[in-house]
Amino acid sequence: MSKLENQVAIVTGAGRGIGHAIAIRLACEGAKVACVSRTEANAAKVAEEINASNPGMAKAYAVDVAETNAVAATAKQILAEFERVDILVNNAGLTRDGLSMRMSEEDWDVVIDTNLKGAFNFIQGVMRAMIRQRSGRIINISSVSALAGNAGQANYAASKAGLLGLSKSLARELASRSITVNVVAPGFITTDMTHVLPDTVKTAVLAGIPLGKFGEPEDIAAAVAFLAGPDAKYITGQTLTVDGGMVM
């Protein structure tokens, strides 16, 4: 029996990169997956990939996680179609890098609204259902930037650090209903976002990673699968850093 058989997972930002790897891994573990992306085409692509080998295991949903009312409607639709939600992975995120002195209000707001408020929006959308079930796993994807800071990423680091406080508070609020809330903090992971960085930047980053290599999206997916599975039932309010030793 697969570890997540008969369970339903929501993965935001599932269209590419880390979110894509998480959606695929949870499906491989037996979960039905609601694949959420801001763009319908990206959501549909990963759902089709899952359904190609496991028909009926995934559905696609397009929504901007920063839009509170739209997320509430999408969560309601997912609950109606799947009848339950056992796992929520808040992975959707974006960057608008720039030095604080020149950062616009728009660049600050869009990062906070997507990365932090977006996670809260989906949590509010499913938490009542999880409370009624008296079970659930909420896993928020943060970043090593939340733990160590990063010049030029004040907005991003603040949003990702906010997820740490949000997760610990919710872990305390929801523990009595057997709902765990944890964080995965990726380090430097090979994705489309990092692929475009200059070689000089990559070399400098590598020098600060004790394991001497960048991580893969599948490394993050493995950590999420562990926290979503039965072996993590007594773990809550924790941050699992997957960074090759970068910020130990």
Side-chain angles (χ1 to χ4, degrees):
M1 181 176 175
S2 300
K3 287 185 176 181
L4 302 179
E5 193 170 341
N6 300 321
Q7 296 196 32
V8 175
I10 297 174
V11 180
T12 71
R16 57 182 182 160
I18 290 172
H20 174 269
I22 291 170
I24 297 296
R25 177 62 185 264
L26 295 183
C28 288
E29 297 283 354
K32 293 180 179 179
V33 184
C35 303
V36 177
S37 177
R38 189 166 51 182
T39 58
E40 193 169 342
N42 284 350
K45 189 175 180 182
V46 65
E48 288 167 8
E49 186 177 344
I50 291 169
N51 288 330
S53 53
N54 294 288
M57 291 293 284
K59 290 187 179 182
Y61 301 87
V63 68
D64 183 344
V65 297
E67 298 294 334
T68 302
N69 292 336
V71 169
T74 300
K76 188 175 181 179
Q77 181 184 356
I78 292 170
L79 284 163
E81 293 178 354
F82 285 98
E83 298 184 342
R84 63 184 293 122
V85 171
D86 302 282
I87 302 157
L88 169 63
V89 183
N90 284 306
N91 167 74
L94 50 77
T95 57
R96 292 288 187 275
D97 294 351
L99 294 176
S100 300
M101 190 182 301
R102 293 192 290 270
M103 185 174 291
S104 68
E105 182 180 5
E106 181 185 359
D107 283 348
W108 175 269
D109 286 348
V110 71
V111 171
I112 298 295
D113 286 351
T114 300
N115 299 3
L116 182 55
K117 189 177 83 170
F120 184 67
N121 284 341
F122 254 104
I123 290 166
Q124 278 206 318
V126 304
M127 67 192 308
R128 286 179 175 81
M130 287 184 172
I131 288 169
R132 284 194 297 270
Q133 292 166 192
R134 299 186 72 86
S135 67
R137 303 291 172 87
I138 297 171
I139 302 161
N140 296 317
I141 308 300
S142 180
S143 168
V144 292
S145 293
L147 304 172
N150 197 22
Q153 285 196 319
N155 50 0
Y156 183 76
S159 70
K160 292 299 190 176
L163 287 174
L164 305 184
L166 171 65
S167 300
K168 289 185 179 187
S169 296
L170 287 169
R172 291 185 182 277
E173 287 184 18
L174 300 174
S176 65
R177 297 295 187 270
S178 299
I179 299 166
T180 67
V181 187
N182 291 292
V183 176
V184 175
F188 201 99
I189 306 299
T190 302
T191 63
D192 291 343
M193 194 183 297
T194 57
H195 181 70
V196 298
L197 292 174
D199 288 341
T200 52
V201 174
K202 292 179 182 177
T203 300
V205 172
L206 267 175
I209 301 175
L211 284 181
K213 59 184 177 180
F214 300 145
E216 299 295 332
E218 289 75 18
D219 295 322
I220 308 305
V224 170
F226 165 68
L227 289 172
D231 293 336
K233 67 181 185 300
Y234 198 58
I235 299 173
T236 195
Q238 303 302 310
T239 299
L240 177 55
T241 306
V242 185
D243 67 348
M246 192 174 179
V247 298
M248 70 170 74

PDB file of all heavy atoms in Angstrom, residues 167-198:
ATOM      1  N   SER A 167       3.585  29.375  10.402  1.00  0.00           N
ATOM      2  CA  SER A 167       3.532  27.915  10.568  1.00  0.00           C
ATOM      3  C   SER A 167       3.573  27.505  12.034  1.00  0.00           C
ATOM      4  O   SER A 167       2.834  26.603  12.465  1.00  0.00           O
ATOM      5  CB  SER A 167       4.695  27.259   9.812  1.00  0.00           C
ATOM      6  OG  SER A 167       4.619  27.551   8.423  1.00  0.00           O
ATOM      7  N   LYS A 168       4.405  28.179  12.826  1.00  0.00           N
ATOM      8  CA  LYS A 168       4.492  27.828  14.249  1.00  0.00           C
ATOM      9  C   LYS A 168       3.203  28.188  14.989  1.00  0.00           C
ATOM     10  O   LYS A 168       2.739  27.423  15.846  1.00  0.00           O
ATOM     11  CB  LYS A 168       5.697  28.532  14.875  1.00  0.00           C
ATOM     12  CG  LYS A 168       7.025  27.952  14.405  1.00  0.00           C
ATOM     13  CD  LYS A 168       8.199  28.576  15.127  1.00  0.00           C
ATOM     14  CE  LYS A 168       9.498  27.934  14.645  1.00  0.00           C
ATOM     15  NZ  LYS A 168      10.662  28.376  15.427  1.00  0.00           N
ATOM     16  N   SER A 169       2.630  29.321  14.647  1.00  0.00           N
ATOM     17  CA  SER A 169       1.369  29.715  15.285  1.00  0.00           C
ATOM     18  C   SER A 169       0.252  28.743  14.937  1.00  0.00           C
ATOM     19  O   SER A 169      -0.523  28.320  15.806  1.00  0.00           O
ATOM     20  CB  SER A 169       0.990  31.139  14.857  1.00  0.00           C
ATOM     21  OG  SER A 169       1.945  32.067  15.324  1.00  0.00           O
ATOM     22  N   LEU A 170       0.162  28.382  13.657  1.00  0.00           N
ATOM     23  CA  LEU A 170      -0.879  27.443  13.223  1.00  0.00           C
ATOM     24  C   LEU A 170      -0.647  26.053  13.806  1.00  0.00           C
ATOM     25  O   LEU A 170      -1.603  25.342  14.127  1.00  0.00           O
ATOM     26  CB  LEU A 170      -0.918  27.370  11.699  1.00  0.00           C
ATOM     27  CG  LEU A 170      -1.520  28.590  11.001  1.00  0.00           C
ATOM     28  CD1 LEU A 170      -1.262  28.526   9.504  1.00  0.00           C
ATOM     29  CD2 LEU A 170      -3.022  28.674  11.268  1.00  0.00           C
ATOM     30  N   ALA A 171       0.625  25.668  13.938  1.00  0.00           N
ATOM     31  CA  ALA A 171       0.928  24.360  14.539  1.00  0.00           C
ATOM     32  C   ALA A 171       0.352  24.275  15.946  1.00  0.00           C
ATOM     33  O   ALA A 171      -0.188  23.239  16.357  1.00  0.00           O
ATOM     34  CB  ALA A 171       2.437  24.129  14.556  1.00  0.00           C
ATOM     35  N   ARG A 172       0.446  25.375  16.700  1.00  0.00           N
ATOM     36  CA  ARG A 172      -0.117  25.406  18.049  1.00  0.00           C
ATOM     37  C   ARG A 172      -1.649  25.424  18.020  1.00  0.00           C
ATOM     38  O   ARG A 172      -2.312  24.762  18.824  1.00  0.00           O
ATOM     39  CB  ARG A 172       0.408  26.625  18.809  1.00  0.00           C
ATOM     40  CG  ARG A 172       1.893  26.536  19.132  1.00  0.00           C
ATOM     41  CD  ARG A 172       2.357  27.689  19.991  1.00  0.00           C
ATOM     42  NE  ARG A 172       3.791  27.621  20.251  1.00  0.00           N
ATOM     43  CZ  ARG A 172       4.359  26.873  21.208  1.00  0.00           C
ATOM     44  NH1 ARG A 172       3.606  26.127  21.987  1.00  0.00           N
ATOM     45  NH2 ARG A 172       5.673  26.871  21.377  1.00  0.00           N
ATOM     46  N   GLU A 173      -2.212  26.190  17.080  1.00  0.00           N
ATOM     47  CA  GLU A 173      -3.673  26.302  17.000  1.00  0.00           C
ATOM     48  C   GLU A 173      -4.334  24.984  16.597  1.00  0.00           C
ATOM     49  O   GLU A 173      -5.428  24.653  17.071  1.00  0.00           O
ATOM     50  CB  GLU A 173      -4.067  27.368  15.979  1.00  0.00           C
ATOM     51  CG  GLU A 173      -3.819  28.802  16.418  1.00  0.00           C
ATOM     52  CD  GLU A 173      -4.323  29.814  15.393  1.00  0.00           C
ATOM     53  OE1 GLU A 173      -5.151  29.450  14.537  1.00  0.00           O
ATOM     54  OE2 GLU A 173      -3.870  30.978  15.450  1.00  0.00           O
ATOM     55  N   LEU A 174      -3.685  24.228  15.717  1.00  0.00           N
ATOM     56  CA  LEU A 174      -4.344  23.082  15.086  1.00  0.00           C
ATOM     57  C   LEU A 174      -3.923  21.720  15.651  1.00  0.00           C
ATOM     58  O   LEU A 174      -4.477  20.699  15.263  1.00  0.00           O
ATOM     59  CB  LEU A 174      -4.080  23.113  13.578  1.00  0.00           C
ATOM     60  CG  LEU A 174      -4.598  24.365  12.847  1.00  0.00           C
ATOM     61  CD1 LEU A 174      -4.162  24.355  11.385  1.00  0.00           C
ATOM     62  CD2 LEU A 174      -6.123  24.454  12.946  1.00  0.00           C
ATOM     63  N   ALA A 175      -2.955  21.724  16.561  1.00  0.00           N
ATOM     64  CA  ALA A 175      -2.438  20.448  17.078  1.00  0.00           C
ATOM     65  C   ALA A 175      -3.511  19.594  17.740  1.00  0.00           C
ATOM     66  O   ALA A 175      -3.506  18.363  17.616  1.00  0.00           O
ATOM     67  CB  ALA A 175      -1.292  20.711  18.056  1.00  0.00           C
ATOM     68  N   SER A 176      -4.455  20.235  18.423  1.00  0.00           N
ATOM     69  CA  SER A 176      -5.487  19.465  19.132  1.00  0.00           C
ATOM     70  C   SER A 176      -6.412  18.721  18.178  1.00  0.00           C
ATOM     71  O   SER A 176      -7.150  17.832  18.588  1.00  0.00           O
ATOM     72  CB  SER A 176      -6.317  20.391  20.026  1.00  0.00           C
ATOM     73  OG  SER A 176      -7.040  21.327  19.248  1.00  0.00           O
ATOM     74  N   ARG A 177      -6.361  19.085  16.898  1.00  0.00           N
ATOM     75  CA  ARG A 177      -7.160  18.390  15.879  1.00  0.00           C
ATOM     76  C   ARG A 177      -6.311  17.452  15.025  1.00  0.00           C
ATOM     77  O   ARG A 177      -6.704  17.043  13.944  1.00  0.00           O
ATOM     78  CB  ARG A 177      -7.867  19.414  14.971  1.00  0.00           C
ATOM     79  CG  ARG A 177      -8.881  20.299  15.698  1.00  0.00           C
ATOM     80  CD  ARG A 177     -10.048  19.469  16.229  1.00  0.00           C
ATOM     81  NE  ARG A 177     -11.109  20.306  16.786  1.00  0.00           N
ATOM     82  CZ  ARG A 177     -11.178  20.689  18.057  1.00  0.00           C
ATOM     83  NH1 ARG A 177     -10.215  20.327  18.901  1.00  0.00           N
ATOM     84  NH2 ARG A 177     -12.179  21.432  18.494  1.00  0.00           N
ATOM     85  N   SER A 178      -5.124  17.136  15.520  1.00  0.00           N
ATOM     86  CA  SER A 178      -4.205  16.208  14.826  1.00  0.00           C
ATOM     87  C   SER A 178      -3.793  16.716  13.444  1.00  0.00           C
ATOM     88  O   SER A 178      -3.584  15.934  12.510  1.00  0.00           O
ATOM     89  CB  SER A 178      -4.822  14.804  14.710  1.00  0.00           C
ATOM     90  OG  SER A 178      -5.071  14.275  15.997  1.00  0.00           O
ATOM     91  N   ILE A 179      -3.679  18.032  13.324  1.00  0.00           N
ATOM     92  CA  ILE A 179      -3.199  18.661  12.088  1.00  0.00           C
ATOM     93  C   ILE A 179      -1.788  19.174  12.348  1.00  0.00           C
ATOM     94  O   ILE A 179      -1.570  19.943  13.292  1.00  0.00           O
ATOM     95  CB  ILE A 179      -4.112  19.824  11.661  1.00  0.00           C
ATOM     96  CG1 ILE A 179      -5.535  19.311  11.403  1.00  0.00           C
ATOM     97  CG2 ILE A 179      -3.559  20.527  10.419  1.00  0.00           C
ATOM     98  CD1 ILE A 179      -6.563  20.419  11.305  1.00  0.00           C
ATOM     99  N   THR A 180      -0.833  18.737  11.544  1.00  0.00           N
ATOM    100  CA  THR A 180       0.534  19.205  11.699  1.00  0.00           C
ATOM    101  C   THR A 180       0.826  20.309  10.688  1.00  0.00           C
ATOM    102  O   THR A 180       0.275  20.322   9.585  1.00  0.00           O
ATOM    103  CB  THR A 180       1.564  18.071  11.527  1.00  0.00           C
ATOM    104  OG1 THR A 180       1.546  17.602  10.174  1.00  0.00           O
ATOM    105  CG2 THR A 180       1.258  16.924  12.481  1.00  0.00           C
ATOM    106  N   VAL A 181       1.704  21.222  11.080  1.00  0.00           N
ATOM    107  CA  VAL A 181       2.094  22.325  10.202  1.00  0.00           C
ATOM    108  C   VAL A 181       3.611  22.447  10.257  1.00  0.00           C
ATOM    109  O   VAL A 181       4.185  22.684  11.322  1.00  0.00           O
ATOM    110  CB  VAL A 181       1.458  23.664  10.640  1.00  0.00           C
ATOM    111  CG1 VAL A 181       1.757  24.754   9.603  1.00  0.00           C
ATOM    112  CG2 VAL A 181      -0.049  23.522  10.847  1.00  0.00           C
ATOM    113  N   ASN A 182       4.251  22.262   9.120  1.00  0.00           N
ATOM    114  CA  ASN A 182       5.707  22.301   9.056  1.00  0.00           C
ATOM    115  C   ASN A 182       6.185  23.093   7.843  1.00  0.00           C
ATOM    116  O   ASN A 182       5.395  23.444   6.957  1.00  0.00           O
ATOM    117  CB  ASN A 182       6.269  20.874   9.006  1.00  0.00           C
ATOM    118  CG  ASN A 182       6.083  20.126  10.309  1.00  0.00           C
ATOM    119  OD1 ASN A 182       6.679  20.452  11.327  1.00  0.00           O
ATOM    120  ND2 ASN A 182       5.206  19.106  10.293  1.00  0.00           N
ATOM    121  N   VAL A 183       7.479  23.356   7.834  1.00  0.00           N
ATOM    122  CA  VAL A 183       8.097  24.164   6.777  1.00  0.00           C
ATOM    123  C   VAL A 183       9.257  23.401   6.151  1.00  0.00           C
ATOM    124  O   VAL A 183      10.021  22.731   6.852  1.00  0.00           O
ATOM    125  CB  VAL A 183       8.631  25.491   7.361  1.00  0.00           C
ATOM    126  CG1 VAL A 183       9.365  26.305   6.293  1.00  0.00           C
ATOM    127  CG2 VAL A 183       7.506  26.308   7.974  1.00  0.00           C
ATOM    128  N   VAL A 184       9.389  23.516   4.841  1.00  0.00           N
ATOM    129  CA  VAL A 184      10.598  23.074   4.151  1.00  0.00           C
ATOM    130  C   VAL A 184      11.281  24.326   3.599  1.00  0.00           C
ATOM    131  O   VAL A 184      10.637  25.140   2.924  1.00  0.00           O
ATOM    132  CB  VAL A 184      10.291  22.089   3.007  1.00  0.00           C
ATOM    133  CG1 VAL A 184      11.571  21.751   2.237  1.00  0.00           C
ATOM    134  CG2 VAL A 184       9.659  20.818   3.549  1.00  0.00           C
ATOM    135  N   ALA A 185      12.559  24.487   3.923  1.00  0.00           N
ATOM    136  CA  ALA A 185      13.315  25.654   3.468  1.00  0.00           C
ATOM    137  C   ALA A 185      14.387  25.209   2.471  1.00  0.00           C
ATOM    138  O   ALA A 185      15.454  24.733   2.878  1.00  0.00           O
ATOM    139  CB  ALA A 185      13.949  26.376   4.651  1.00  0.00           C
ATOM    140  N   PRO A 186      14.120  25.353   1.182  1.00  0.00           N
ATOM    141  CA  PRO A 186      15.109  24.960   0.175  1.00  0.00           C
ATOM    142  C   PRO A 186      16.296  25.922   0.141  1.00  0.00           C
ATOM    143  O   PRO A 186      16.165  27.122   0.418  1.00  0.00           O
ATOM    144  CB  PRO A 186      14.335  25.038  -1.144  1.00  0.00           C
ATOM    145  CG  PRO A 186      12.888  25.064  -0.761  1.00  0.00           C
ATOM    146  CD  PRO A 186      12.855  25.758   0.568  1.00  0.00           C
ATOM    147  N   GLY A 187      17.442  25.367  -0.219  1.00  0.00           N
ATOM    148  CA  GLY A 187      18.605  26.184  -0.510  1.00  0.00           C
ATOM    149  C   GLY A 187      18.625  26.514  -1.997  1.00  0.00           C
ATOM    150  O   GLY A 187      17.598  26.843  -2.586  1.00  0.00           O
ATOM    151  N   PHE A 188      19.787  26.405  -2.605  1.00  0.00           N
ATOM    152  CA  PHE A 188      19.943  26.719  -4.027  1.00  0.00           C
ATOM    153  C   PHE A 188      19.556  25.495  -4.846  1.00  0.00           C
ATOM    154  O   PHE A 188      20.276  24.504  -4.879  1.00  0.00           O
ATOM    155  CB  PHE A 188      21.384  27.132  -4.320  1.00  0.00           C
ATOM    156  CG  PHE A 188      21.532  27.934  -5.581  1.00  0.00           C
ATOM    157  CD1 PHE A 188      21.617  29.317  -5.537  1.00  0.00           C
ATOM    158  CD2 PHE A 188      21.592  27.309  -6.817  1.00  0.00           C
ATOM    159  CE1 PHE A 188      21.753  30.069  -6.699  1.00  0.00           C
ATOM    160  CE2 PHE A 188      21.730  28.042  -7.981  1.00  0.00           C
ATOM    161  CZ  PHE A 188      21.812  29.431  -7.921  1.00  0.00           C
ATOM    162  N   ILE A 189      18.390  25.564  -5.470  1.00  0.00           N
ATOM    163  CA  ILE A 189      17.837  24.425  -6.211  1.00  0.00           C
ATOM    164  C   ILE A 189      17.859  24.726  -7.708  1.00  0.00           C
ATOM    165  O   ILE A 189      17.539  25.845  -8.137  1.00  0.00           O
ATOM    166  CB  ILE A 189      16.387  24.131  -5.768  1.00  0.00           C
ATOM    167  CG1 ILE A 189      16.312  23.953  -4.247  1.00  0.00           C
ATOM    168  CG2 ILE A 189      15.841  22.899  -6.491  1.00  0.00           C
ATOM    169  CD1 ILE A 189      17.139  22.816  -3.686  1.00  0.00           C
ATOM    170  N   THR A 190      18.232  23.753  -8.515  1.00  0.00           N
ATOM    171  CA  THR A 190      18.298  23.930  -9.964  1.00  0.00           C
ATOM    172  C   THR A 190      16.886  23.987 -10.547  1.00  0.00           C
ATOM    173  O   THR A 190      16.177  22.979 -10.603  1.00  0.00           O
ATOM    174  CB  THR A 190      19.078  22.779 -10.611  1.00  0.00           C
ATOM    175  OG1 THR A 190      20.387  22.724 -10.044  1.00  0.00           O
ATOM    176  CG2 THR A 190      19.204  22.996 -12.110  1.00  0.00           C
ATOM    177  N   THR A 191      16.465  25.187 -10.947  1.00  0.00           N
ATOM    178  CA  THR A 191      15.152  25.398 -11.577  1.00  0.00           C
ATOM    179  C   THR A 191      15.317  26.422 -12.694  1.00  0.00           C
ATOM    180  O   THR A 191      16.408  26.957 -12.911  1.00  0.00           O
ATOM    181  CB  THR A 191      14.117  25.943 -10.562  1.00  0.00           C
ATOM    182  OG1 THR A 191      14.552  27.237 -10.106  1.00  0.00           O
ATOM    183  CG2 THR A 191      13.960  25.015  -9.370  1.00  0.00           C
ATOM    184  N   ASP A 192      14.218  26.720 -13.389  1.00  0.00           N
ATOM    185  CA  ASP A 192      14.258  27.758 -14.428  1.00  0.00           C
ATOM    186  C   ASP A 192      14.715  29.090 -13.840  1.00  0.00           C
ATOM    187  O   ASP A 192      15.417  29.871 -14.486  1.00  0.00           O
ATOM    188  CB  ASP A 192      12.862  27.941 -15.057  1.00  0.00           C
ATOM    189  CG  ASP A 192      12.447  26.732 -15.876  1.00  0.00           C
ATOM    190  OD1 ASP A 192      13.327  25.922 -16.216  1.00  0.00           O
ATOM    191  OD2 ASP A 192      11.248  26.604 -16.171  1.00  0.00           O
ATOM    192  N   MET A 193      14.306  29.357 -12.583  1.00  0.00           N
ATOM    193  CA  MET A 193      14.610  30.625 -11.938  1.00  0.00           C
ATOM    194  C   MET A 193      16.113  30.787 -11.707  1.00  0.00           C
ATOM    195  O   MET A 193      16.664  31.878 -11.849  1.00  0.00           O
ATOM    196  CB  MET A 193      13.858  30.722 -10.602  1.00  0.00           C
ATOM    197  CG  MET A 193      13.827  32.111  -9.988  1.00  0.00           C
ATOM    198  SD  MET A 193      13.003  32.130  -8.358  1.00  0.00           S
ATOM    199  CE  MET A 193      11.345  31.631  -8.798  1.00  0.00           C
ATOM    200  N   THR A 194      16.782  29.698 -11.353  1.00  0.00           N
ATOM    201  CA  THR A 194      18.215  29.777 -11.071  1.00  0.00           C
ATOM    202  C   THR A 194      19.074  29.518 -12.306  1.00  0.00           C
ATOM    203  O   THR A 194      20.240  29.898 -12.348  1.00  0.00           O
ATOM    204  CB  THR A 194      18.601  28.766  -9.980  1.00  0.00           C
ATOM    205  OG1 THR A 194      18.205  27.444 -10.395  1.00  0.00           O
ATOM    206  CG2 THR A 194      17.912  29.089  -8.665  1.00  0.00           C
ATOM    207  N   HIS A 195      18.492  28.893 -13.327  1.00  0.00           N
ATOM    208  CA  HIS A 195      19.233  28.544 -14.539  1.00  0.00           C
ATOM    209  C   HIS A 195      19.778  29.780 -15.247  1.00  0.00           C
ATOM    210  O   HIS A 195      20.846  29.736 -15.867  1.00  0.00           O
ATOM    211  CB  HIS A 195      18.329  27.747 -15.491  1.00  0.00           C
ATOM    212  CG  HIS A 195      19.013  27.328 -16.754  1.00  0.00           C
ATOM    213  ND1 HIS A 195      20.008  26.363 -16.758  1.00  0.00           N
ATOM    214  CD2 HIS A 195      18.880  27.744 -18.045  1.00  0.00           C
ATOM    215  CE1 HIS A 195      20.440  26.199 -18.009  1.00  0.00           C
ATOM    216  NE2 HIS A 195      19.782  27.025 -18.794  1.00  0.00           N
ATOM    217  N   VAL A 196      19.051  30.896 -15.151  1.00  0.00           N
ATOM    218  CA  VAL A 196      19.434  32.101 -15.894  1.00  0.00           C
ATOM    219  C   VAL A 196      20.501  32.938 -15.179  1.00  0.00           C
ATOM    220  O   VAL A 196      20.986  33.922 -15.728  1.00  0.00           O
ATOM    221  CB  VAL A 196      18.195  33.000 -16.156  1.00  0.00           C
ATOM    222  CG1 VAL A 196      17.185  32.260 -17.004  1.00  0.00           C
ATOM    223  CG2 VAL A 196      17.552  33.456 -14.848  1.00  0.00           C
ATOM    224  N   LEU A 197      20.893  32.551 -13.969  1.00  0.00           N
ATOM    225  CA  LEU A 197      21.906  33.311 -13.237  1.00  0.00           C
ATOM    226  C   LEU A 197      23.268  33.192 -13.910  1.00  0.00           C
ATOM    227  O   LEU A 197      23.613  32.137 -14.458  1.00  0.00           O
ATOM    228  CB  LEU A 197      21.997  32.813 -11.794  1.00  0.00           C
ATOM    229  CG  LEU A 197      20.792  33.092 -10.892  1.00  0.00           C
ATOM    230  CD1 LEU A 197      20.989  32.412  -9.548  1.00  0.00           C
ATOM    231  CD2 LEU A 197      20.572  34.580 -10.704  1.00  0.00           C
ATOM    232  N   PRO A 198      24.058  34.256 -13.880  1.00  0.00           N
ATOM    233  CA  PRO A 198      25.409  34.212 -14.476  1.00  0.00           C
ATOM    234  C   PRO A 198      26.277  33.155 -13.801  1.00  0.00           C
ATOM    235  O   PRO A 198      26.110  32.864 -12.611  1.00  0.00           O
ATOM    236  CB  PRO A 198      25.954  35.621 -14.211  1.00  0.00           C
ATOM    237  CG  PRO A 198      24.761  36.470 -13.936  1.00  0.00           C
ATOM    238  CD  PRO A 198      23.745  35.571 -13.316  1.00  0.00           C
TER     239      PRO A 198
END
